[in-house]
Amino acid sequence: MSVQFADLAKNVSADGHVSPEELLALRRLGWGDGKIHRGEAEAIFAINQVMENPNAEWTDFFVEALAEFVLNGTEPRGYVDEAEAEWLIGALDQDGRLESMAELELLVHVMERAGNVPDRLKHYALAQVEKAVLTGTGPTRCGGELSDTHISAAECSIIRRIVFASGGHGPAAVSRHDAEMLFRLKDETLAEANDPAWDALFIDSVANYLKGFHLSNAQLDHARMKELEAFVADNRASVGRFMGAMARELPQVRNHFGKVFGKNAAGTRYAEAQAAGNLVTDNENSWLEKMIDADGEVDDLERALLARITAEA
C-alpha cells in the first residue's frame, strides 16, 4: 500500500465521509499498479465501517475493489481458496454480523463471479440472509418497522443470487444445504406477508435440488485449477504429456479418435446425467418426506412443490 493511499484512507476514516474527489483519488491510487493489495483492501474495509450513510458510488467502489482483491489477488485468477475465504469472512464478521448492504453485496458478488468458492463461504453467505429474515435485523433491512419473520423482495433477490451463483455448488445447481435453509425460512414465515417472489423462489430452488443434476467435473476447485494452469504454463509440455493428461482426465478416450472422443461422447454423458437427475431417488424422496413432515402438516407451498415435481416427472 502506498503512503499516499494510507494517508488518504486515514483522513477519510477520521470523518466518516468520502467526497467525490476523495473517492476518485482512492480509485486512482488503489489501481495505480493494476491491482488491489491486502493493505489497501483492509484500509477500504476500515473506511466502510465508519461510513455514515454510504452512497451508491461508495458501495460500487467497495464491492469492485474488494472483489478484485479476493478473486484476482493470487493465482489462479477468478477462484477463492480457503485462506482467502477465511480472510473475507473475518473482515466481514468482525463483530459477529454484517453491517451493511455493501458488505452483503460484496459477498454475493464474489460468489457470482468466482469459478468456485469454499463451502464455508457459501454457507456463511446464506446464513447471513437467514439471520436477517428470522431476527428482523441485518444488512438486508433499512430502518422502519421490521417484522422478524417477513421475507422482503431484496432478500428474495439475494437468496436467488446466492443459491444459483456460479461459485456455488455448480452453475445453477441447488445443494441440500440450500434446500434445507429454504424449508426453514418457509416454516417460519407461513403466516407472514412475504414478497410475492418468495413462492416461486422456494418451489424453483427445491425442485432444482430434487430434479436437477450436475456433472462431477462441472467445477474445478482452487487446487485443481492451479495444477492445470501450471501444466499449461509449462513450456516443456509435449504432445505425449498432453495426451497422458487427457487420458487421466477422460479415461474413456480411445487411442484412435473415434466417436467416444468429442461431441458424441460428451453429449451422451450429458444426456445420461440429465436423465438421471430428472429422477427423484429414494434418498431424495425420503428427505422430502422428512422435510414436509417436520411441522406435522402439508402447507400450500409444499403442495405446489409436489405438483411441480409430479408434473415434471
Side-chain angles (χ1 to χ4, degrees):
M1 177 170 60
S2 68
V3 174
Q4 296 97 321
F5 190 97
D7 289 343
L8 178 57
K10 184 177 180 180
N11 291 336
V12 170
S13 296
D15 62 15
H17 295 280
V18 179
S19 69
E21 295 75 21
E22 289 171 329
L23 183 56
L24 179 60
L26 286 172
R27 281 188 173 276
R28 287 175 172 171
L29 292 170
W31 269 280
D33 61 354
K35 64 186 298 185
I36 299 293
H37 298 274
R38 179 162 182 163
E40 294 165 341
E42 291 174 346
I44 293 169
F45 258 115
I47 294 172
N48 190 66
Q49 289 172 352
V50 299
M51 283 282 288
E52 298 177 7
N53 302 316
N55 57 25
E57 288 73 22
W58 167 257
T59 297
D60 288 345
F61 168 70
F62 175 82
V63 172
E64 183 182 355
L66 272 299
E68 170 66 22
F69 170 70
V70 173
L71 289 168
N72 300 321
T74 61
E75 296 297 333
R77 294 169 64 85
Y79 280 73
V80 181
D81 65 15
E82 294 287 348
E84 290 162 339
E86 288 298 323
W87 178 88
L88 180 57
I89 292 173
L92 292 169
D93 208 40
Q94 293 186 22
D95 61 355
R97 66 175 187 175
L98 298 188
E99 292 292 343
S100 67
M101 276 297 291
E103 292 179 341
L104 184 56
E105 178 62 28
L106 167 63
L107 192 55
V108 178
H109 186 72
V110 166
M111 291 187 61
E112 288 180 321
R113 288 184 56 197
N116 200 2
V117 304
D119 283 349
R120 172 158 159 68
L121 189 60
K122 302 170 191 177
H123 297 169
Y124 175 80
L126 278 178
Q128 303 313 303
V129 180
E130 182 176 6
K131 184 187 300 183
V133 172
L134 299 182
T135 64
T137 60
T140 66
R141 307 304 180 137
C142 301
E145 185 177 352
L146 300 177
S147 163
D148 60 359
T149 53
H150 167 74
I151 304 178
S152 68
E155 287 158 348
C156 286
S157 175
I158 290 169
I159 291 170
R160 184 175 287 277
R161 289 171 64 193
I162 294 173
V163 168
F164 292 102
S166 61
H169 292 85
V174 178
S175 73
R176 176 170 294 196
H177 183 276
D178 302 334
E180 290 180 352
M181 184 278 296
L182 292 166
F183 261 100
R184 289 194 298 272
L185 291 186
K186 174 192 68 66
D187 290 342
E188 291 293 332
T189 61
L190 281 174
E192 300 298 324
N194 293 326
D195 186 83
W198 165 246
D199 290 8
L201 172 59
F202 174 81
I203 295 168
D204 290 345
S205 301
V206 179
N208 177 288
Y209 162 64
L210 291 169
K211 298 178 66 61
F213 74 100
H214 71 280
L215 299 175
S216 59
N217 62 346
Q219 285 186 304
L220 298 175
D221 63 21
H222 183 272
R224 184 61 179 137
M225 191 62 193
K226 289 189 72 172
E227 288 180 10
L228 293 177
E229 286 196 350
F231 176 82
V232 172
D234 185 355
N235 58 16
R236 296 171 302 166
S238 66
V239 173
R241 289 180 60 218
F242 173 75
M243 293 308 297
M246 284 292 293
R248 288 191 297 273
E249 293 297 317
L250 301 172
Q252 74 281 4
V253 173
R254 293 176 181 165
N255 292 332
H256 304 288
F257 300 86
K259 292 183 178 179
V260 176
F261 185 89
K263 288 187 176 180
N264 289 340
T268 299
R269 293 194 303 275
Y270 188 89
E272 289 174 350
Q274 185 179 37
N278 278 329
L279 299 176
V280 178
T281 66
D282 290 341
N283 286 338
E284 290 169 340
N285 188 60
S286 297
W287 173 86
L288 183 57
E289 289 181 359
K290 178 181 177 182
M291 299 306 295
I292 291 176
D293 291 342
D295 58 0
E297 63 178 350
V298 180
D299 57 60
D300 289 342
L301 269 180
E302 290 168 342
R303 290 190 187 94
L305 171 63
L306 291 171
R308 164 77 70 83
I309 295 169
T310 301
E312 295 178 352

